[in-house]
Amino acid sequence: MRYILSEIQKTLELLGGKRYVFFSENKFRGGIYMLEIKSIEDNIDEFLSYFVELFDYKKYGTLSAKYQFIFLHEKKEYEFYVSVSSGSVEYKKGTIDNPDITIRTPLKVWYDISMGKLSGTIGYLTRRYTIKGKFSLLTGLT
């Protein structure tokens, strides 16, 4: 067992210290496989990339707006922004000057809204997240 743990430690060092889950595919095939555990920031980054991919350029091509997101997870804040201008959309980690709307939300609440598990309106009315700025910028962007 000590040898296996030592080999796992060496493998993790080679992989740049990223976190992985080790699991056996099944007891018949054998073998140990790894699945990377992404950081919260990586998950948010991936999530926002979907927003950019789903953005309806035909419908909102003339929209110009700056969205500031403050995602909350395990008592930590993660700041990202989305900028929409002249038919292009970009997102980045950090803050943006003079956002048109700031959304402060637990990460799970925003995931649930995005996946249709929670109505954005109900979430807002029950104070699961807060908005500062132009509320109208949240409707139907994808």
Side-chain angles (χ1 to χ4, degrees):
M1 182 68 159
R2 183 176 290 173
Y3 172 77
I4 292 172
L5 291 175
S6 172
E7 290 303 307
I8 289 172
Q9 181 64 37
K10 287 178 192 174
T11 302
L12 286 174
E13 288 170 7
L14 289 173
L15 295 170
K18 293 182 180 176
R19 297 182 305 159
Y20 290 82
V21 172
F22 292 86
F23 62 95
S24 174
E25 184 177 0
N26 65 46
K27 61 184 177 183
F28 301 109
R29 289 175 132 173
I32 296 176
Y33 299 87
M34 297 181 297
L35 176 66
E36 181 180 353
I37 300 174
K38 294 182 178 182
S39 71
I40 295 301
E41 281 134 345
D42 288 341
N43 284 328
I44 295 170
D45 188 77
E46 189 173 319
F47 172 71
L48 291 176
S49 74
Y50 292 130
F51 174 84
V52 170
E53 289 177 25
L54 296 173
F55 182 75
D56 189 342
Y57 292 95
K58 291 178 185 174
K59 189 173 182 181
Y60 297 101
T62 60
L63 177 66
S64 181
K66 296 184 268 184
Y67 296 78
Q68 181 68 58
F69 288 93
I70 303 169
F71 295 107
L72 309 168
H73 183 71
E74 295 181 356
K75 298 182 182 180
K76 190 171 179 184
E77 293 184 353
Y78 299 90
E79 295 178 320
F80 282 79
Y81 68 86
V82 175
S83 177
V84 181
S85 179
S86 302
S88 68
V89 182
E90 71 172 0
Y91 68 96
K92 291 188 180 178
K93 181 179 177 184
T95 59
I96 192 166
D97 292 333
N98 303 314
D100 296 300
I101 186 168
T102 300
I103 301 139
R104 184 177 177 86
T105 178
L107 188 55
K108 182 174 180 356
V109 168
W110 205 253
Y111 281 163
D112 287 349
I113 290 169
S114 299
M115 298 301 184
K117 293 180 180 179
L118 174 65
S119 157
T121 303
I122 297 297
Y124 178 73
L125 292 175
T126 57
R127 300 179 190 217
R128 293 186 187 167
Y129 67 96
T130 60
I131 296 171
K132 181 179 176 185
K134 300 177 185 173
F135 185 83
S136 62
L137 289 173
L138 285 180
T139 57
L141 290 176
T142 57

